Amino acid sequence: ETGVTQTPRHLVMGMTNKKSLKCEQHLGHNAMYWYKQSAKKPLELMFVYNFKEQTENNSVPSRFSPECPNSSHLFLHLHTLQPEDSALYLCASSQVKGGNQPQHFGDGTRLSIL
Amino acid sequence: GESVGLHLPTLSVQEGDNSIINCAYSNSASDYFIWYKQESGKGPQFIIDIRSNMDKRQGQRVTVLLNKTVKHLSLQIAATQPGDSAVYFCAENKGQGAQKLVFGQGTRLTINP
């Protein structure tokens, strides 16, 4: 148990569907992150939230829309995705105060676009 | 066994032997480095980290070495066990405040009985 919970674990959707991925952290952290992990590619940072404010958008297409209502919850809203968006989407959290602290990851949502 | 950087993505060692996984990073200004282990079906699990003002840090059976001169990071695992089989990623932090981690492609470590 990592303290970061992602739901759903698996998601299959068509290109015209709208769905959302959810992440919840129980670690008291104040920064949250979305990553994309594709086969044979390094983990790619997508978005960073620090105290609920978005501080990084790593050139992510607008069909991915993040939302961070509070420091414990993070969502990724999906709309009109493409087949190349099929991947494992990972959420992480970290404590920002007191210098660098390790990010803790959830087990991800495996997304398949039909 | 010893890997020679990101262009060698697999490493096999005998159970009980020591293993060394190497990583080259890109930014001389990066101030924080971290190693993760990822098992099949799971997210990356934190192993050990090191700040740029250090050159060595030890944990339980693991040691991380940082050579800032050549921008090189390594993870040493002592007395490997079957449970050490996984993909290992290094990452460097390029951000301030909230982190901006850049990950390597990973090395798959297989422990042979």
Side-chain angles (χ1 to χ4, degrees):
Chain A
E1 188 63 45
T2 66
V4 180
T5 303
Q6 289 188 244
T7 55
R9 289 299 311 278
H10 301 273
L11 179 61
V12 179
M13 57 186 287
M15 290 190 284
T16 58
N17 291 158
K18 288 184 181 182
K19 296 286 184 182
S20 296
L21 310 185
K22 179 183 177 182
C23 176
E24 182 175 1
Q25 59 97 359
H26 309 276
L27 301 169
H29 291 164
N30 43 35
M32 297 188 77
Y33 311 80
W34 278 117
Y35 289 86
K36 177 183 180 182
Q37 187 174 33
S38 305
K40 301 181 181 179
K41 290 180 70 175
L43 273 79
E44 300 172 87
L45 180 64
M46 300 175 70
F47 301 104
V48 179
Y49 278 83
N50 189 6
F51 289 95
K52 300 188 299 179
E53 299 297 320
Q54 186 181 128
T55 58
E56 182 76 25
N57 176 338
N58 199 20
S59 303
V60 181
S62 60
R63 58 186 183 269
F64 294 90
S65 175
E67 178 189 1
C68 188
N70 55 62
S71 294
S72 299
H73 294 86
L74 186 65
F75 296 90
L76 188 62
H77 304 299
L78 315 173
H79 176 50
T80 320
L81 296 193
Q82 304 299 309
E84 62 265 28
D85 297 323
S86 296
L88 181 68
Y89 289 85
L90 290 159
C91 171
S93 69
S94 72
Q95 184 64 259
V96 174
K97 290 181 180 179
N100 279 299
Q101 300 293 330
Q103 291 182 26
H104 293 261
F105 284 81
D107 286 332
T109 295
R110 174 71 61 185
L111 178 64
S112 298
I113 306 301
L114 302 180
Chain B
E2 183 176 39
S3 71
V4 288
L6 298 179
H7 62 277
L8 187 66
T10 61
L11 177 64
S12 293
V13 298
Q14 290 297 121
E15 182 179 352
D17 286 353
N18 299 332
S19 66
I20 300 175
I21 301 172
N22 295 300
C23 182
Y25 63 93
S26 61
N27 189 348
S28 58
S30 292
D31 61 351
Y32 178 67
F33 304 87
I34 191 165
W35 281 99
Y36 285 94
K37 170 187 180 183
Q38 187 173 24
E39 298 173 279
S40 180
K42 295 186 177 181
Q45 175 188 354
F46 166 72
I47 301 173
I48 193 167
D49 58 0
I50 188 167
R51 290 168 175 76
S52 58
N53 61 353
M54 304 171 67
D55 54 19
K56 180 179 180 179
R57 190 166 188 221
Q58 289 184 291
Q60 186 176 11
R61 288 200 303 119
V62 294
T63 301
V64 55
L65 299 177
L66 176 63
N67 186 331
K68 293 181 286 293
T69 303
V70 295
K71 294 188 285 187
H72 184 267
L73 193 67
S74 68
L75 176 70
Q76 300 177 2
I77 305 175
T80 52
Q81 303 169 357
D84 294 330
S85 293
V87 177
Y88 289 81
F89 296 95
C90 65
E92 60 179 309
N93 179 36
K94 295 187 174 181
Q96 298 292 328
Q99 293 168 350
K100 185 178 178 180
L101 291 183
V102 177
F103 281 78
Q105 71 178 63
T107 296
R108 179 174 297 279
L109 176 65
T110 300
I111 309 303
N112 300 313

